């Protein structure tokens, strides 16, 4: 297990010697002490990245791609160990880390390994006699700050496209979950990434994170996290006018029309909100149900929620683990009181599980709360296994509720009516829409939001635009330039 900063191809302690414990949220026991980067360590990492940039960006794109492909293979070869480490540090059930997080991490590095040599420029038709072409160049040293909810996967989402495009990276994982990003750094060294191309700096948000956003020699900052910190990133980035990419919070609408297939709705909605203990920006956190089917659906949905097996993440039969920290668990549970104060009714959960074996951990039962669309619990991101339910009568009403928050990340709808499905998809104010499914993601499909959910897109060809700058080149091939200043 690596616990030190990864700078210039080596694991080194923080210059200050500072460390912080990372905990296992199953019982809050210490897993390891991890080095915490200070500003001086960020400076060292940026210097290493700057030094590595000329050779890395000039390397044949296919060769950069080949390293990413090798990394994907190495991740698969170490899948069991990576899944275990991720489950220990985050509390995610091992069946999810082994079957989803690790394969998706490998798939993302592989997709962008293949992408590296497919980012083309273009030739633009301009006036006769001139050739105008556009190339895409890497941005330079890129700073990346990620949260604790999918630390392994987000390491790949952030690093893979940046590296494929020829940038060098300084990444800060969340202080709660630094271990899997460091494990990826170790594999990168093993498969032969040149020193300095990638640097991983566990550290505190307001210290290392803030300085990455401010740093005058970092050309772009890509951030995934809360809307509040996103605003701070924008402000901190203004010094050198960094390019900014923001993947922020969400409050996913999940609309169920009267003609929906309820078996699919129940399964899909449970995955949408309870997978990863609901700690997902794209969680289906607002169930919006047509009144004609509400009783039937809620009976099935609450009974599924009550049947979910909560337990030790390392037990392969566990379906839901603990939240990732005690502080976050307390915050999620505090929303149960917030709901009740505004007249909300708890239909399932709303408390920590009773089992003595889980008493030391950060556990919360799957929670379903009936609430008005304007209640705080239906407006603010709870970021836990906590879903609000409200009903609607007309399609217009459903759309108004769905679009009625400051967020606009993911939204879903369930109907057998083809025309309605596409019309609503068009009208939803969100970066992603799922029809008769929820929370699908793929390295090939653009991911991101609008409004308070941020701007810019990860994944697919879109993200290659984020990690490159276009350059327009004019060539006089056969032009008679009019004499502006005749002599
Ligand atoms: P957070 O508090 O915003 O933290 C995210 C990252 O920013 C952490 O690494 C944190 O460091 C760092 N940070 C904190 N203060 C900073 C500052 N002043 N300057 C620079 N960096 C700073 O978010 P979180 O609670 O970890 O994560 C949950 C949030 O992330 C939710 O809102 C969720 O919706 C959002 N999210 C969005 C997406 C998306 O793609 N749209 C995906 C996943 C999660 P520390 O670890 O030291 O606090
Ligand atoms: Mg931890």
């Amino acid at each position: 297990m690596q616990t030190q900063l990864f700078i210039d191809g080596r694991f080194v302690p923080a210059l200050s010697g500072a460390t912080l414990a990372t905990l296992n949220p199953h019982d809050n026991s210490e897993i390891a002490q991890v080095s915490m980067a200070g500003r001086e360590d960020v400076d060292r990492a940026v210097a290493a990245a700057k030094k590595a940039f000329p050779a890395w960006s000039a390397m044949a794109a296919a060769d950069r791609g080949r390293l990413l492909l090798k990394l994907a293979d190495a991740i698969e070869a170490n899948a069991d160990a990576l899944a275990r480490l991720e489950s220990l540090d985050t509390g995610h059930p091992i069946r999810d880390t082994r079957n989803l997080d690790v394969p998706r991490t490998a798939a993302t590095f592989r997709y962008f390994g293949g992408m590296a040599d497919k980012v083309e420029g273009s030739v633009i038709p301009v006036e006769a006699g001139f050739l105008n072409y556009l190339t895409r160049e890497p941005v330079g040293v890129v700073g990346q700050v990620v949260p604790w909810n999918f630390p392994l996967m987000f390491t790949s989402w952030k690093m893979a496209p940046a590296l494929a495009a020829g940038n060098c990276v300084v990444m800060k994982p969340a202080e709660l979950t630094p271990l899997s990003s460091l494990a990826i750094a170790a594999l990168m060294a093993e498969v032969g990434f040149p020193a300095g191309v990638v640097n991983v700096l566990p550290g505190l948000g307001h210290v290392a994170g803030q300085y990455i956003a401010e740093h005058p020699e970092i050309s772009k900052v890509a951030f995934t996290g809360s809307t509040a910190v996103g605003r701070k990133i924008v402000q901190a980035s203004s010094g050198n006018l960094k390019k900014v990419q923001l993947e922020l919070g969400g409050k996913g609408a999940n609309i169920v029309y009267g003609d929906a297939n309820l078996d699919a709705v129940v399964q899909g909605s449970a995955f949408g909100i309870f997978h990863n203990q609901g700690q997902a920006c794209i969680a289906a956190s607002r169930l919006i149900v047509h009144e004609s089917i509400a009783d039937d659906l809620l009976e099935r949905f609450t009974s599924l929620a009550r049947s979910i097996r909560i337990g030790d993440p390392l037990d392969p039969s566990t379906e839901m683990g603990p939240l990732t920290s005690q502080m976050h668990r307390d915050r999620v549970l505090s929303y149960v009181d917030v709901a009740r104060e505004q007249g909300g009714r708890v239909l399932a959960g709303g408390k920590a599980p009773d089992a003595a074996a889980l008493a030391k951990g950060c556990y919360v039962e799957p929670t379903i709360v009936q609430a008005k669309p304007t209640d705080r619990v239906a407006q603010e991101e709870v970021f836990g296994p906590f879903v609000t339910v409200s009903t609607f009568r007309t399609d217009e009403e459903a759309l108004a509720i769905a679009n009625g928050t400051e967020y606009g990340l993911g939204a879903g709808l369930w109907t057998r009516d083809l025309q309605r499905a596409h019309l609503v998809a068009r009208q939803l104010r969100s970066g992603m829409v799922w029809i008769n499914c929820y929370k699908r993601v793929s390295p090939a499909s653009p991911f991101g939001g609008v409004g308070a959910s941020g701007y810019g897109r990860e994944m697919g060809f879109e993200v290659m635009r984020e990690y490159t700058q276009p350059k327009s080149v004019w060539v006089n091939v056969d032009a008679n330039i009019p004499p502006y200043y005749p002599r």
Side-chain angles (χ1 to χ4, degrees), residues 428-450:
L428 282 166
R429 186 177 155 275
S430 72
M432 293 163 280
V433 174
W434 297 283
I435 298 173
N436 293 331
C437 56
Y438 211 98
K439 229 170 105 167
R440 303 297 309 179
V441 292
S442 156
S445 180
F447 185 102
V450 300

Side-chain angles (χ1 to χ4, degrees), residues 194-262:
V197 165
V198 165
N199 305 272
V200 178
L201 304 182
L204 301 178
H206 66 277
V207 180
Q210 176 79 23
Y211 191 41
I212 285 173
E214 284 169 9
H215 204 287
E217 301 196 274
I218 291 181
S219 309
K220 167 186 163 121
V221 60
F223 173 74
T224 298
S226 61
T227 300
V229 174
R231 291 198 175 92
K232 291 189 189 170
I233 297 270
V234 172
Q235 282 161 2
S237 71
S238 72
N240 70 335
L241 299 173
K242 280 180 191 65
K243 211 174 164 180
V244 181
Q245 185 180 351
L246 299 175
E247 302 288 350
L248 308 177
K251 192 71 183 172
N254 184 21
I255 312 173
V256 187
Y257 294 92
D259 63 348
N261 170 352
L262 290 196

Side-chain angles (χ1 to χ4, degrees), residues 279-299:
Q279 301 166 128
C281 51
I282 53 173
S285 53
R286 293 183 295 148
L287 190 60
I288 302 163
V289 190
H290 192 264
E291 57 180 14
S292 64
I293 48 153
D295 290 345
D296 187 9
L297 175 61
L298 285 183
E299 193 185 311

Side-chain angles (χ1 to χ4, degrees), residues 153-174:
M153 238 168 56
F154 287 159
T155 297
S156 67
W157 287 28
K158 285 277 176 283
M159 285 184 182
L163 296 171
N167 302 284
C168 293
V169 167
V170 175
M171 197 194 93
K172 189 196 92 62

Side-chain angles (χ1 to χ4, degrees), residues 25-28 321-326 329 358 360-364:
H26 168 57
D27 55 9
N28 284 304
L323 302 193
T324 298
S325 75
Q326 194 67 33
R329 185 195 82 149
L358 307 181
K360 285 192 199 152
C362 314
Y363 290 90
V364 174

Side-chain angles (χ1 to χ4, degrees), residues 251-318:
K251 192 71 183 172
N254 184 21
I255 312 173
V256 187
Y257 294 92
D259 63 348
N261 170 352
L262 290 196
D263 287 336
V265 171
V266 171
Q267 292 297 326
S269 304
F271 174 74
I273 185 60
F274 299 130
H275 167 242
N276 210 38
Q277 297 70 249
Q279 301 166 128
C281 51
I282 53 173
S285 53
R286 293 183 295 148
L287 190 60
I288 302 163
V289 190
H290 192 264
E291 57 180 14
S292 64
I293 48 153
D295 290 345
D296 187 9
L297 175 61
L298 285 183
E299 193 185 311
R300 297 198 217 181
F301 190 49
T302 47
S303 96
L304 190 155
R306 291 199 188 98
S307 74
I308 290 174
R309 284 193 298 273
I310 307 179
D312 184 345
L314 293 181
D315 178 343
S317 71
T318 290

